[in-house]
């Protein structure tokens, strides 16, 4: 029987000490997909990503990578097959951007051959792709939160793994840099055949970029599939507890989730503003 994908989990119970987050999870990451995991806070998104990356050992069940139990690989071998950008990363004191990105090459180093021009090329390409090449000589602890996030992403890219797991990769980034990072992820998926798994908070970003969406609630998978097929007003209200309207994104045609103005205050304020604007225009016309 063929394996369902390169990365999958069966019968997963995930817990921290005695606190169970998820039970009996069945999860398959489609090969060559851009899979995005969404859901409310504390629903188990990041916990699932930690289990898929071997950072968290399931209480029961198993995660499989390339046809073997992920726990059966040496750590360095896992790092050659799978790259992880955690939610919170702390750089060593006094390290430069280039030196931190270079650590992404560690899984590829051999005992008798520690460095090569090919490593240098990969590091520069990773920094260029994430827009931090001009920061190469700067200390990481001198950078803004958004700059540091892009440096960490460059380090993961320098691993050159065909699987990338990204836990909230747009954290600390302004809207322009959020789109830059997600556009880069889309490029890696479409142009370089990477398989990506990302946890995102912004549902509209998830709908726009994901080829496969996993919606979680209370530690379980509430729905999964193409965003165009599964993102409905009913699903969003079930998962997030918020009434919405789902309309086509005017740029992409993907689902666009618009929260309902539950109290009507925004519409009233907009109406009042429109009335004031109309009155001002009328007064200006009479003066003319």
């Amino acid at each position: 029987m063929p394996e369902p994908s390169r990365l999958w989990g069966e019968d997963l119970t995930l817990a921290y000490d005695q606190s169970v987050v998820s039970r009996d999870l069945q999860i398959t990451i489609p090969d060559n997909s851009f899979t995005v995991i969404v859901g409310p806070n504390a629903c188990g998104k990041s916990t699932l990503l930690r289990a898929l990356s071997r950072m968290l050992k399931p209480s029961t069940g198993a995660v499989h990578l390339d046809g073997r139990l992920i726990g059966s690989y040496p750590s360095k071998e896992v790092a050659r097959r799978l790259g992880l950008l955690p939610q919170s990363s702390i750089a060593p004191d006094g390290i430069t951007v280039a030196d931190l990105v270079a650590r992404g090459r560690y899984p590829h180093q051999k005992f008798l051959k520690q460095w090569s021009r090919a490593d240098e090329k990969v590091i520069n390409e990773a920094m260029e792709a994430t827009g931090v090449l001009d920061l190469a000589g700067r200390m990481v602890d001198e950078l803004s939160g958004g700059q540091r996030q892009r440096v960490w992403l460059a380090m993961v890219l320098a691993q050159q793994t065909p699987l990338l797991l990204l836990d909230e990769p747009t954290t600390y980034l302004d809207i322009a840099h959020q789109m830059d990072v997600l556009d880069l992820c889309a490029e890696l998926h479409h142009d370089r055949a990477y398989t990506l798994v990302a946890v995102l908070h912004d549902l509209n970003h998830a709908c726009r970029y994901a080829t496969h969406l996993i919606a979680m609630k209370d530690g379980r998978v509430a729905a999964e599939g193409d965003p165009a097929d599964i993102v409905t007003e009913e699903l969003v209200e079930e998962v997030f507890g918020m009434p919405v309207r789902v309309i086509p994104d005017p740029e992409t045609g993907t689902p666009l989730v618009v929260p309902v103005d539950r109290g009507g205050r925004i519409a009233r304020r907009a109406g009042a503003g429109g009335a004031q604007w109309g009155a001002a225009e009328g007064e200006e016309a009479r003066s003319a």
Side-chain angles (χ1 to χ4, degrees):
M1 178 179 176
E3 304 295 349
S5 74
R6 294 193 59 192
L7 182 63
W8 58 287
E10 60 177 343
D11 303 325
L12 299 177
T13 296
L14 308 178
Y16 297 103
D17 296 325
Q18 300 302 313
S19 178
V20 175
V21 177
S22 295
R23 291 186 189 275
D24 302 322
L25 269 182
Q26 313 292 330
I27 200 80
T28 297
I29 304 302
D31 292 338
N32 305 120
S33 69
F34 186 175
T35 294
V36 176
I37 307 171
V38 297
N41 291 340
C43 73
K45 303 185 298 295
S46 294
T47 301
L48 173 58
L49 204 70
R50 286 170 60 84
L52 292 175
S53 65
R54 208 177 76 165
M55 288 187 67
L56 177 68
K57 183 179 180 179
S59 301
T60 63
V63 173
H64 301 258
L65 174 64
D66 289 335
R68 287 172 51 183
L69 293 174
I70 196 170
S72 69
Y73 289 102
S75 296
K76 206 168 184 178
E77 181 62 25
V78 173
R80 283 195 289 265
R81 296 169 182 264
L82 182 152
L84 171 69
L85 177 65
Q87 193 173 109
S88 299
S89 303
I90 300 175
D93 291 336
I95 192 170
T96 66
V97 167
D99 286 341
L100 182 60
V101 176
R103 294 193 173 199
R105 299 304 298 160
Y106 169 75
H108 302 277
Q109 303 298 311
K110 298 180 180 178
F111 182 71
L112 296 177
K113 187 178 180 182
Q114 294 295 310
W115 197 251
S116 69
R117 289 186 177 179
D119 291 321
E120 191 79 30
K121 182 174 183 289
V122 169
I123 289 164
N124 286 334
E125 288 176 349
M127 289 192 293
E128 184 174 10
T130 54
V132 298
L133 186 58
D134 60 337
L135 304 175
R138 295 273 303 276
M139 296 294 175
V140 174
D141 54 14
E142 296 175 353
L143 304 180
S144 70
Q147 289 172 325
R148 284 197 298 271
Q149 188 74 348
R150 286 185 282 143
V151 171
W152 283 110
L153 183 57
M155 189 192 78
V156 175
L157 290 183
Q159 280 182 241
Q160 285 193 307
T161 61
L163 274 164
L164 289 181
L165 276 57
L166 311 171
D167 196 356
E168 299 185 32
T170 55
T171 298
Y172 305 122
L173 302 180
D174 60 37
I175 184 64
H177 286 117
Q178 287 179 31
M179 302 305 285
D180 286 344
V181 166
L182 293 172
D183 284 343
L184 172 60
C185 290
E187 177 190 334
L188 292 172
H189 165 244
H190 288 294
D191 300 342
R192 306 189 198 182
Y194 276 64
T195 297
L196 294 99
V197 188
V199 170
L200 294 180
H201 273 297
D202 191 307
L203 187 53
N204 287 324
H205 284 171
C207 289
R208 175 174 281 204
Y209 287 94
T211 62
H212 185 76
L213 191 70
I214 298 174
M216 295 190 67
K217 180 185 180 183
D218 298 332
R220 63 179 177 83
V221 174
E224 63 177 310
D226 189 307
D229 296 331
I230 69 168
V231 177
T232 63
E233 296 170 0
E234 293 76 17
L235 177 72
V236 176
E237 184 160 11
E238 176 196 343
V239 170
F240 292 93
M242 180 178 68
V244 299
R245 299 286 180 263
V246 176
I247 61 176
D249 186 314
E251 284 292 316
T252 63
T254 53
L256 182 67
V257 178
V258 181
V260 169
D261 182 12
R262 288 175 285 188
R265 299 180 186 88
I266 298 172
R268 287 198 297 272
R269 187 169 71 244
Q276 293 170 3
W277 175 258
E281 282 189 316
E283 183 62 33
E284 184 176 340
R286 287 192 294 273
S287 299

